[in-house]
């Protein structure tokens, strides 16, 4: 069975998080209860050979400044502008010139209509049933890039703080060919140091 880079990254992150959960059950419980915290987001990054895969999960409030179905033309415009920004990985992170090409891209936006997105990015809402355990409206984003000389990559700058006002803290987990780590990023500390 052949896995896409994004699926491979997801499997590696699940394994990585499972190990961390076993090692620190109490910390996992704390993170589980704060799965949807305004201002916070989760970023996973995998560098494997010539592939860089990135996944982002963020409350819609961080991206849009609101967390409800857009009602006005202004709010609808904000949703479209956010989609445009998120569709370019350079608005999410910056890396040295590695001659990267996007090979896969997927975004799930909570407020896109079925006509605009088709089956991609459309989140169905059941208005009759909504438990307190349900996730609020989140953005899910994944990219896979094919790049040259990824072994030369030492730092990655996260650009979300520059492009969206709602991000305060990003919990970043990364894995490369020789190392793995976690970083808590903010507008004052936007750099992931890989080496």
């Amino acid at each position: 069975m052949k896995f896409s880079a994004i699926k491979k990254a997801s499997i590696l992150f699940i394994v990585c998080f499972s190990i961390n959960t076993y090692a620190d059950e109490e910390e996992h419980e704390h993170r589980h209860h704060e799965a949807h915290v305004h201002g916070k987001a989760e970023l996973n990054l995998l560098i494997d050979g010539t592939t860089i895969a990135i996944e982002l999960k963020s409350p819609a409030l961080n991206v849009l400044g609101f967390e409800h179905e857009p009602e006005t033309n202004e709010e609808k415009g904000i949703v479209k502008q956010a989609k445009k920004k998120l569709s370019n990985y350079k608005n999410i992170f910056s890396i040295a010139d590695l001659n990267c090409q996007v090979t896969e891209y997927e975004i799930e936006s909570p407020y896109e209509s079925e006509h605009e997105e088709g089956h991609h990015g459309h989140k169905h809402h059941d208005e009759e049933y909504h438990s307190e355990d349900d996730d609020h409206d989140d953005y899910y984003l994944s990219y896979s890039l094919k790049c040259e000389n990824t072994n030369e990559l030492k730092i990655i700058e996260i650009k979300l703080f520059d492009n969206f006002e709602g991000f305060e803290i990003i919990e970043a987990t990364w894995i490369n060919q020789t190392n793995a780590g976690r970083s808590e990023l903010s507008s004052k500390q936007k750099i992931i140091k890989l080496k």
Side-chain angles (χ1 to χ4, degrees):
M1 176 183 291
K2 186 174 180 181
F3 291 106
S4 71
I6 291 173
K7 287 181 183 174
K8 184 177 178 182
S10 297
I11 291 167
L12 283 173
F13 287 126
I14 289 168
V15 170
C16 183
F17 284 127
S18 296
I19 291 168
N20 287 333
T21 299
Y22 180 77
D24 194 350
E25 187 71 30
E26 189 174 313
E27 182 183 340
H28 172 73
E29 283 299 314
H30 181 71
R31 278 197 317 266
H32 176 72
H33 294 297
E34 291 188 326
H36 181 98
V37 179
H38 296 161
K40 290 190 175 183
E42 297 172 14
L43 182 86
N44 297 317
L45 182 69
L46 170 71
I47 303 163
D48 182 29
T50 60
T51 300
I52 297 177
I54 190 166
E55 295 178 332
L56 174 71
K57 178 183 176 187
S58 172
L61 186 71
N62 298 352
V63 176
L64 304 173
F66 60 87
E67 199 167 62
H68 58 264
E69 200 67 43
E71 298 167 358
T72 66
N73 286 337
E74 181 183 359
E75 289 177 343
K76 291 174 185 176
I78 290 170
V79 170
K80 286 182 182 180
Q81 184 63 28
K83 179 182 175 185
K84 184 177 179 180
K85 279 186 183 179
L86 291 172
S87 68
N88 183 349
Y89 77 88
K90 293 178 182 178
N91 291 320
I92 299 164
F93 64 97
S94 174
I95 54 178
D97 186 19
L98 300 179
N99 195 24
C100 295
Q101 302 294 322
V102 176
T103 57
E104 291 182 60
Y105 165 72
E106 186 175 347
I107 185 169
E108 184 177 322
S109 168
Y111 308 124
E112 292 288 341
S113 73
E114 196 166 353
H115 298 294
E116 291 178 49
E117 281 290 310
H119 66 283
H120 291 290
H122 182 65
K123 186 173 184 178
H124 295 280
H125 296 281
D126 184 351
E127 294 180 13
E128 294 179 17
Y129 175 75
H130 178 74
S131 80
E132 291 180 13
D133 294 331
D134 288 344
D135 277 345
H136 294 268
D137 293 327
D138 289 328
Y139 273 84
Y140 298 92
L141 179 68
S142 60
Y143 267 103
S144 180
L145 309 174
K146 184 170 178 126
C147 305
E148 297 174 2
N149 301 320
T150 58
N151 56 344
E152 300 294 321
L153 188 59
K154 295 179 182 170
I155 64 167
I156 295 174
E157 181 181 359
I158 302 305
K159 305 296 281 184
L160 290 162
F161 300 105
D162 301 330
N163 291 300
F164 301 95
E165 294 179 9
F167 287 94
E168 296 171 13
I169 299 290
I170 297 176
E171 297 289 341
T173 302
W174 55 270
I175 302 170
N176 67 11
Q177 295 93 325
T178 59
N179 210 349
R182 284 188 176 186
S183 302
E184 184 173 280
L185 306 171
S186 68
S187 60
K188 294 180 180 177
Q189 172 47 42
K190 307 185 254 192
I191 305 294
I192 299 174
K193 296 178 182 177
L194 303 173
K195 295 184 180 184

